[in-house]
Amino acid sequence: MPKVGNEAQPKHEIIRSNWTQGDVFLSVELPGVLNTQDIIVEIEDDGSALELRVPDRFLLRCPLPCGTNMQELRVKFSKAKQRATLIFPGAAANNEGLAAMPANPPAQSTCCARADSHESKSEDITHLEGETQDPLHKCYNGFPVRLSSSPELGRYLVAARDLAAGTLVYQGAAVSDVVHDKYVQSLCHHCYTHLADSRNTRRCTDCGYAVYCSIGCMRDAVDVHVLECGVLRAWSQSPSGPKSSRGLRLFMRLAYAYNASQDTQHLIDSLQFHENKGDAQRNSLMAQTVNRFLLPQARLPEDVMVNLIGKAHVNTHGITDLKGRLLGSGLYPGGSTFNHSCAPTCAVSFIKGAIQVHTIEDVKEGECLTIGYVELYAPRPQRRISLQTKKFFECACRRCTEAERIEADRPLSAWICAKCGGLVDENEEKCASCKKLLDLSPDERLSRIATWRRMQDTGVMMMMQCKHEEAKTLFHSILETTKEENLHSHHTIRYEAIKALVEVHSSLQEFEACMTHARQALVCMKAYLPKYHQSIAAMQEHLGDAALQWSKKEGVHAPGADGLLNKSWKAYQRAVSVLCKCYGASHPHISVLNDKLYEAKALAHQSGKQY
């Protein structure tokens, strides 16, 4: 019983049914299918029909060429195209069998769609106009969105109907994605699973570079890896090999994908980007480097390669986990038309390298669907500079343009006037409220900020080296000196130090201090981040973990343990409620949180408290 996929939307399209000499091919487009795992293909007992199904989603039945058996049937799945191809070897020799299969069946003429998905219903599917004009339209089949455009905003997505918070509005696979250099030895190069969580790790014996969490991932990745294996082997064996290869590996995979499929070519060609002269020169040099490492038959004209690299720079998404760590990078054409906002209506998540986008607030029909391109817990100037530098536009969202919201963001970079308690921006010499000159000039304050940032970078390196005591001392020093210098309590410098101390105290099993800093971090997050932001869920989980582990350390029957357990399961409950909105109720980490919640409640029951 071969399997060929993961999740699919209720609708699909039969693209073609044709045959070459000896073989019959049936190609089925499956929007939303991401991996070769969940779609089941079976032949009925009487051998007359084939059944392709996604459990609890949809069912496809079609006539089967005579003489086909399960041992002969082959199934191939293209992750980039989201398409399954069923191959019936030798069936073309049987005219009777061929007559049973129409050469070009109408789309969905044999599909029995099921509408019992927990995240989308068949009546919610929106058909997009102009589907034949823009290749990107096909990416959104089955999702409650509409692709629009304007001279000011370019192409962008809007809600096709009223959407509640937590609605899945897009999911899709990358046409090219790679693991970050920092994690090449600790993450699966196919599904981004932490190798420490796997007992069946597999490493490519030819290059010694690519590593996978299972033999299944190794097999799924072979078509891509075989093209780069020789280059990776040469790099790993050469002292002069690139120290940072993420971009180079991403562009190589993108070039191979561009060569392999006309559909992928059309998708990538439809993407938009802007560049300046410096970027053009940089991209030209990179294009020459990429072509040098590609197989000869895959090399592209320099102008085409420059265009690919430019589009990748602008449209690539960082593949992140719940804690915001950058695990890799991927180009998702369907994800490229979500416009940016510093107060977004949607959140992006990843499951085994595939992207998902959910609404994080109620969205009205016709309202723009937006995501955050940059760190949201950041002052307005920092966000705008980052967007201008990396994405080549000036943000005009409400958070960046409305006076009330601009004022509300000032604490993220402000100092406190010692005389009146008013806010003073980094470039101001005196308080606007009381007109008192600050003890430090703007240049001196900027120098202090630079020093604290260097201390933070040093502390992060210490954490990576497991020097947690040294890191704790350093981060506490940052908090003490920034308080003495009257930095606002919500300033990004203090916020980053507080978050780091949550991790440090957790590693040192200093649970009371961990809980204290987790609460401080949550106060900051709730003031500036969306209500259903993944960072809030992650910090609630930290709070729950610290309370649970502290109660275990003291003993569940010890005085105060019941209160800790109560705080623990409530923190987990809050984390689940947030994550269900921003990551979707089916995200794997939801079950992890629920297991912790049930454990905390069970221990609370043992301690004598009923919840």
Side-chain angles (χ1 to χ4, degrees), residues 120-139:
S120 62
K121 303 292 183 180
S122 60
E123 64 266 26
D124 294 339
I125 294 169
T126 300
H127 297 280
L128 303 174
E129 297 179 2
E131 187 168 330
T132 59
Q133 299 175 5
D134 191 332
L136 280 173
H137 276 296
K138 293 181 68 176
C139 296

Side-chain angles (χ1 to χ4, degrees), residues 5 9 52 82 126 143 158 169 199 240 281 318 321 337 349 354 366 424 472 489 495 533 550 568 581:
Q9 290 299 307
L52 183 150
Q82 298 183 13
T126 300
F143 297 103
V158 300
V169 292
R199 297 181 179 179
S240 60
Q281 294 171 350
D321 63 5
T337 53
S349 60
V424 182
K472 181 178 73 170
S489 60
Y495 170 71
H533 193 277
W550 191 9
S568 176
K581 300 294 186 184

Side-chain angles (χ1 to χ4, degrees), residues 402-418:
E402 293 182 358
E404 184 178 348
R405 296 195 176 196
I406 293 173
E407 180 65 24
D409 274 355
R410 285 184 65 198
L412 295 172
S413 59
W415 299 62
I416 302 294
C417 174

Side-chain angles (χ1 to χ4, degrees), residues 78 89 119 125 141 164 186 214 275 282 294 309 328 336 353 387 399 487 495 601:
S78 169
E119 289 192 315
I125 294 169
N141 285 346
S186 57
S214 66
E275 64 178 1
R282 180 194 63 184
L294 291 174
I309 292 172
S336 66
L387 290 167
R399 186 179 174 191
L487 213 62
Y495 170 71
K601 281 194 171 184

Side-chain angles (χ1 to χ4, degrees), residues 185-197:
Q185 298 302 318
S186 57
L187 293 180
C188 174
H189 287 212
H190 182 65
C191 73
Y192 298 85
T193 295
H194 285 274
L195 298 177
D197 298 332

Side-chain angles (χ1 to χ4, degrees), residues 266-474:
H266 292 161
L267 270 178
I268 296 174
D269 288 341
S270 71
L271 299 179
Q272 300 170 347
F273 78 105
H274 309 282
E275 64 178 1
N276 56 39
K277 183 177 291 187
D279 293 311
Q281 294 171 350
R282 180 194 63 184
N283 292 346
S284 178
L285 291 173
M286 178 58 77
Q288 296 171 26
T289 303
V290 174
N291 266 331
R292 188 166 71 249
F293 288 115
L294 291 174
L295 296 175
Q297 63 270 29
R299 290 169 186 163
L300 296 169
E302 185 173 323
D303 61 330
V304 176
M305 184 66 78
V306 167
N307 191 270
L308 282 182
I309 292 172
K311 290 181 176 180
H313 274 305
V314 174
N315 293 287
T316 293
H317 284 262
I319 300 173
T320 56
D321 63 5
L322 181 63
K323 294 181 179 179
R325 293 174 295 197
L326 182 62
L327 306 182
S329 301
L331 180 61
Y332 304 86
S336 66
T337 53
F338 286 90
N339 270 4
H340 164 79
S341 172
C342 295
T345 59
C346 300
V348 174
S349 60
F350 299 89
I351 298 180
K352 296 186 175 181
I355 193 172
Q356 289 191 340
V357 184
H358 292 82
T359 55
I360 53 175
E361 62 180 55
D362 295 344
V363 182
K364 296 293 185 183
E365 180 178 353
E367 187 177 344
C368 189
L369 296 168
T370 57
I371 60 177
Y373 292 180
V374 295
E375 170 60 52
L376 300 181
Y377 197 102
R380 176 176 177 265
Q382 181 179 325
R383 300 194 308 266
R384 290 165 73 87
I385 290 172
S386 179
L387 290 167
Q388 186 66 54
T389 304
K390 298 177 181 178
K391 303 297 183 179
F392 310 108
F393 70 87
E394 186 173 288
C395 185
C397 74
R398 293 174 61 187
R399 186 179 174 191
C400 285
T401 56
E402 293 182 358
E404 184 178 348
R405 296 195 176 196
I406 293 173
E407 180 65 24
D409 274 355
R410 285 184 65 198
L412 295 172
S413 59
W415 299 62
I416 302 294
C417 174
K419 180 178 179 181
C420 71
L423 298 182
V424 182
D425 293 332
E426 290 179 344
N427 59 348
E428 293 178 335
E429 292 188 353
K430 58 184 178 181
C431 175
S433 299
C434 68
K435 310 304 180 183
K436 177 184 181 298
L437 282 173
L438 267 69
D439 295 335
L440 299 175
S441 69
D443 288 342
E444 289 174 321
R445 294 203 299 276
L446 288 175
S447 177
R448 295 282 202 282
I449 292 292
T451 299
W452 289 323
R453 292 204 184 281
R454 287 194 295 271
M455 292 172 67
Q456 283 185 334
D457 292 340
T458 301
V460 171
M461 288 299 298
M462 289 176 175
M463 290 171 64
M464 293 176 61
Q465 298 167 358
C466 296
K467 298 178 180 178
H468 296 115
E469 285 289 353
E470 294 93 328
K472 181 178 73 170
T473 300
L474 193 59

